[in-house]
Amino acid sequence: MTTSSISPQGAQPLPNSPEHGGARQGDDHSHIAPGEIAVGVIIGRASEYFDFFVYGIASVLVFPAVFFPFEQHLEGVLYSFLIFSFAFIARPFGTVISMVIQRRFGREAKLTSALFVLGTSTAGIAFLPGYASLGFTAIVLLSVFRFGQGLALGASWDGLPSLLALNAPANRRGWYAMLGQLGAPIGFFIASALFAYLYSSLPSEDFLDWGWRYSFYVAFAINVVALFARLRLVATDEYSRLLEERELEPTSVSELVRSQGANLLIGAFAALASYALFHLITVFPLSWITLYSDQSVTEFLIVQMIGAVLGAAGIVASGLLADRIGRRFTLGGLAAVIAAFSGFAPTLLDGGRVGQDIFILLGFVILGLSYGQAAGAVTSNFAPKYRYVGAALTADLAWLIGAAFAPLVALGLSAHFGLAYVSIYLLSGAIATLGALGLNRALARD
């Protein structure tokens, strides 16, 4: 029998590894390094974020004209942002439903169903006629497909981030934690580059008629291929055995809530500052530029692409920083930096092209440093049997609370009451993060 183990320096040996005497001498051991798991995590996150940003950018540049032509531009963008949030509302439901499927039919069946729903929903958006052809039905179908994307993303949880966290060397956990987060700037860079090319290369009429659909064709292809690759990865005997040995298996959600409800909420709020900032420097400023600035959309997307590169550098730096001073201390310190940054947001966004560019570039650096350690910062609080489901639901709730409505709220408040409300919104996220981390520390002492 082939035994699989992860045995980096500083990691605990697995129960059936030779160190525990569970394997016979001469057996052929297959060693899976944390770096191999990290590849699967990066593939999964990059594909998710690409899809995520394709929809977010289209919510600003496409959907107001295609699905809400009967409204003014501002109201059209706000309606688009409302539908944008549906995926985040759906994610926890997707996670809960998928855990039932996995317990009854297995991990492969769960991921296969997620692949089918995600592919159907993304392809549905790509081929969906606009309001001019279908009327209100087009808006209903867009909402259904967006909700389906959220269900699929919730169901696509494969446990690899938790497996990576459990098997990373003790002195490099911050480094391995940030690897999966690199998917965000990678996905955003590719999505922005694709839209910048299409938007600048096509006449406006062609772009709104058929050009934007190519982005969703690409999103369909990338997501299906990436999810299929992850399905093949986690279906192997080696990874299945590792997930089982680390107790990364689905448990009852109701039991999790009763037993670990406090940890679930702390985990959701612990990264709120990062998730709030996430949309306030990606999707929201693009909407602000198109509505209230004379800066070219293509040029602004290029600035955001440069910001994504800086954000990726910040994520890498966060791994080094966290291994030096600790992940939670890093997350708390960056929440304080985000709080300070929120005070400058109105001045920068209202400061013309130079101020807007500084807001984007500086914001991406801060986001990278913070977001690099935002995933699973306190999931170690969960008892081992609950960590698989707990990590998934924690991420779902963090996205729902911190990011789902961020573009809608920020644009709505700033358009009607002024940019100062963007500061208040971002500051509230920073306060929530500091409060959650403080509560977590207090409970740990008891």
Side-chain angles (χ1 to χ4, degrees), residues 246-278:
R246 291 299 192 177
E247 298 185 68
L248 294 176
E249 297 293 329
T251 55
S252 168
V253 174
S254 59
E255 181 184 347
L256 167 70
V257 172
R258 287 195 303 269
S259 175
Q260 310 277 297
N263 290 331
L264 200 62
L265 289 177
I266 290 174
F269 281 95
L272 199 61
S274 296
Y275 286 107
L277 180 61
F278 194 93

Side-chain angles (χ1 to χ4, degrees), residues 110-267:
K110 180 190 77 168
L111 290 177
T112 300
S113 64
L115 186 153
F116 176 78
V117 174
L118 182 61
T120 301
S121 300
T122 303
I125 296 173
F127 290 102
L128 182 62
Y131 184 86
S133 299
L134 294 181
F136 190 73
T137 302
I139 300 175
V140 173
L141 290 175
L142 179 65
S143 303
V144 170
F145 289 140
R146 182 58 178 165
F147 197 85
Q149 285 183 317
L151 286 176
L153 291 176
S156 67
W157 175 251
D158 50 26
L160 290 179
S162 294
L163 184 62
L164 178 62
L166 287 171
N167 290 281
N171 61 340
R172 301 199 68 195
R173 287 173 181 165
W175 176 262
Y176 281 100
M178 70 83 188
L179 290 175
Q181 304 299 78
L182 286 172
I186 293 172
F188 181 74
F189 184 94
I190 299 173
S192 298
L194 185 56
F195 267 102
Y197 173 76
L198 293 171
Y199 192 87
S200 62
S201 301
L202 297 173
S204 178
E205 183 177 342
D206 289 342
F207 174 76
L208 292 175
D209 183 25
W210 53 267
W212 65 273
R213 300 179 187 276
Y214 280 99
S215 301
F216 285 87
Y217 300 152
V218 175
F220 168 80
I222 288 179
N223 272 299
V224 169
V225 171
L227 191 53
F228 185 70
R230 290 157 59 201
L231 171 61
R232 294 192 64 184
L233 180 68
V234 301
T236 61
D237 291 340
E238 291 83 3
Y239 277 94
S240 295
R241 190 176 298 114
L242 285 171
L243 290 166
E244 292 171 4
E245 288 168 349
R246 291 299 192 177
E247 298 185 68
L248 294 176
E249 297 293 329
T251 55
S252 168
V253 174
S254 59
E255 181 184 347
L256 167 70
V257 172
R258 287 195 303 269
S259 175
Q260 310 277 297
N263 290 331
L264 200 62
L265 289 177
I266 290 174

